[in-house]
Amino acid sequence: HVSDARVKHPARLAHVRKQAAHFGVPRTQHVVATYPKDRLSAPMPDQPEVARPPMQRVTVVSLGLAHAIDAEAGRLLWPAQVDARVEDIARITEQAEIAAHLAALDHPVTPVIETPLVDLSDKQVIELGEHLNVPWHLSFSCIHAGDVHCGACPACIRRRKAFDAAGVSDPVATGRAA
């Protein structure tokens, strides 16, 4: 779990730990990414874009890669997903390649960075999750502080649209309309 200047709270980390227990992952790590300036604030429902700290994705994947190298892992799964937006897919792919190249300069053996969700639409992620029996009740999408999904932030709205498009009932739906 990477705290990377987005609004984070105990509920996010708690969900990571619940997921790890569910899937039998013996060890999780909580990494705090610091930035020169915290430019990220929780958006209001009518603000679709969120300002990102400088090099946020590169920092997150680099931190993950550093921890994977330290753990002598063979691969790093980066669950980046951008609703099949081609420009964002290209950016994420390039960022993963750059991080891998930089790591290889210092370490002869580096984990392979895999982005299994990057080219899937939100609907496809939900459909795949249903096919794999993903425990959706253990997932947490809301960007606001709190123990439950607010139902109104951009992440909650995106989540609701994805579940609706896939025809799947979201077990964490708050019932709030946005």
Side-chain angles (χ1 to χ4, degrees), residues 87-113:
E87 286 182 12
D88 288 338
I89 293 169
R91 275 191 205 98
I92 287 171
T93 303
E94 290 170 354
Q95 289 164 339
E97 290 292 323
I98 290 167
H101 178 73
L102 291 173
L105 294 175
D106 284 340
H107 303 279
V109 178
T110 60
V112 173
I113 301 173

Side-chain angles (χ1 to χ4, degrees), residues 4-140:
D4 59 357
R6 290 179 283 184
V7 175
K8 298 289 181 183
H9 45 84
R12 273 194 188 275
L13 186 54
H15 277 79
V16 168
R17 290 184 175 135
K18 287 177 187 176
Q19 291 169 13
H22 177 83
F23 290 109
V25 175
R27 185 179 96 175
T28 61
Q29 289 188 272
H30 180 206
V31 179
V32 178
T34 57
Y35 296 92
K37 181 180 179 184
D38 182 3
R39 298 181 338 171
L40 191 62
S41 61
M44 299 308 291
D46 61 340
Q47 296 174 328
E49 295 298 318
V50 176
R52 294 185 182 273
M55 298 178 60
Q56 181 186 24
R57 283 190 185 132
V58 174
T59 301
V60 170
V61 74
S62 295
L63 281 169
L65 190 55
H67 284 279
I69 290 168
D70 188 50
E72 298 178 352
R75 63 187 180 150
L76 171 66
L77 294 177
W78 185 19
Q81 194 268 335
V82 291
D83 197 20
R85 291 187 306 269
V86 176
E87 286 182 12
D88 288 338
I89 293 169
R91 275 191 205 98
I92 287 171
T93 303
E94 290 170 354
Q95 289 164 339
E97 290 292 323
I98 290 167
H101 178 73
L102 291 173
L105 294 175
D106 284 340
H107 303 279
V109 178
T110 60
V112 173
I113 301 173
E114 296 180 23
T115 55
L117 305 176
V118 76
D119 59 348
L120 300 180
S121 70
D122 292 346
K123 176 186 173 191
Q124 289 172 317
V125 169
I126 302 302
E127 291 170 342
L128 177 62
E130 281 297 290
H131 178 75
L132 298 173
N133 295 313
V134 166
W136 295 115
H137 67 283
L138 297 178
S139 63
F140 196 82

